[in-house]
Amino acid sequence: MQSLGVIGQLARYPVKSMQGEALASAALTLQGFAEDRRYAFVQANSRGPFPWLTARELPELLYYRTSVEKAGTPEVAVAVATAHGEHWPIESDELRKALETRSGKPLFLLRDYRGSYDVAPVSLISRQTVARIAEESGAKENSWRFRPNLLVDLKDAGPFDELQWVGKTLRIGSAARIAITEVDQRCVMITLDPATGESSPEILKCVVQKHGQSAGIYATVLTPGEVRAGDPILLEA
């Protein structure tokens, strides 16, 4: 097997479009990382393919902090700290009603054990790609705006080289295996600063014009296992 790099950061995003959590380790299941994107607020009147309430409609969602309590147990729960200083359980009516008022849209809370993913349960991008986009767009480097599960430090490779892994199988750490299915076609979400919600359109313009709208890759899970920050990523022959 060929060594491709190591996991520089491991993250999950318990609620669609809200802040993620950096983790030292996490269980990778056939449905993705445990508690990743398990909750989403759905626009009740939407008939589109992406009915969730996201930062496209309400940018302040990006700085709603989430925390997972009693992870890995039947009593697992998610708490949300809003940008307005409120603290509520994810399933509270108060949080839903506040989001309805702020977005102007009727909502309901969806919990899906398979995750509310745009494409696939695992997303990956390299530090080298993030740095190149920042350099070319003139924006501050910030990997969180790309919302990856795995931020990878490549070994002997350059920016966007991870796009060449599509159709291949990777081993992460000692047991977990993922199949790279497709490149990540980026949207306006990457223009939104994850700390302030402010828009930097030049970031998406850079990715579209210079890189065919692609930055990062998606994967499905072939073999579950525990994944840790610092784990090696290996290309299977």
Side-chain angles (χ1 to χ4, degrees):
M1 289 190 285
Q2 176 187 352
S3 175
L4 299 174
V6 300
I7 298 174
Q9 182 173 279
L10 169 63
R12 69 180 168 204
Y13 307 82
V15 185
K16 193 80 172 175
S17 252
M18 294 187 186
Q19 278 190 10
E21 301 177 298
L23 303 169
S25 64
L28 181 59
T29 73
L30 291 175
Q31 287 77 42
F33 285 101
E35 301 310 315
D36 182 47
R37 296 172 171 94
R38 290 305 190 258
Y39 287 97
F41 284 93
V42 179
Q43 302 175 77
N45 295 332
S46 174
R47 296 297 180 267
F50 296 99
W52 309 288
L53 178 71
T54 72
R56 283 183 288 265
E57 296 81 29
L58 187 63
E60 70 179 57
L61 284 179
L62 289 172
Y63 40 105
Y64 280 36
R65 298 190 310 277
T66 60
S67 58
V68 177
E69 302 167 356
K70 299 182 180 179
T73 74
E75 293 79 32
V76 62
V78 173
V80 176
T82 77
H84 303 270
E86 302 127 334
H87 292 78
W88 285 312
I90 184 64
E91 296 178 342
S92 68
D93 284 338
E94 291 87 352
L95 175 59
R96 178 183 56 80
K97 290 176 181 178
L99 290 174
E100 287 184 330
T101 298
R102 290 161 192 167
S103 68
K105 301 174 185 294
L107 305 169
F108 66 88
L109 178 65
L110 173 69
R111 172 170 170 79
D112 189 338
Y113 76 95
R114 296 166 297 185
S116 295
Y117 304 112
D118 289 349
V119 176
V122 178
S123 58
L124 182 157
I125 196 170
S126 70
R127 286 192 187 275
Q128 287 80 359
T129 296
V130 172
R132 177 61 60 84
I133 293 170
E135 177 186 351
E136 292 178 341
S137 66
K140 183 178 178 181
E141 183 178 332
N142 188 336
S143 63
W144 286 103
R145 70 170 65 246
F146 299 94
R147 301 178 70 81
N149 294 117
L150 303 175
L151 180 66
V152 178
D153 283 317
L154 298 179
K155 176 184 178 182
D156 302 324
F160 297 91
D161 279 9
E162 66 269 26
L163 303 185
Q164 301 172 23
W165 302 348
V166 173
K168 299 178 180 178
T169 298
L170 308 183
R171 183 179 296 274
I172 307 172
S174 60
R177 298 166 64 245
I178 60 175
I180 307 302
T181 56
E182 60 188 276
V183 300
D184 192 337
Q185 295 289 305
R186 293 297 179 169
C187 68
V188 71
M189 284 291 292
I190 65 172
T191 69
L192 302 175
D193 188 302
T196 67
E198 294 180 2
S199 179
S200 299
E202 64 274 11
I203 296 175
L204 183 57
K205 182 179 179 180
C206 166
V207 173
V208 170
Q209 294 184 348
K210 294 180 179 294
H211 305 288
Q213 201 175 334
S214 301
I217 48 181
Y218 284 113
T220 58
V221 181
L222 298 176
T223 306
E226 191 75 9
V227 175
R228 298 173 177 80
D231 273 352
I233 292 184
L234 305 172
L235 175 65
E236 291 193 351

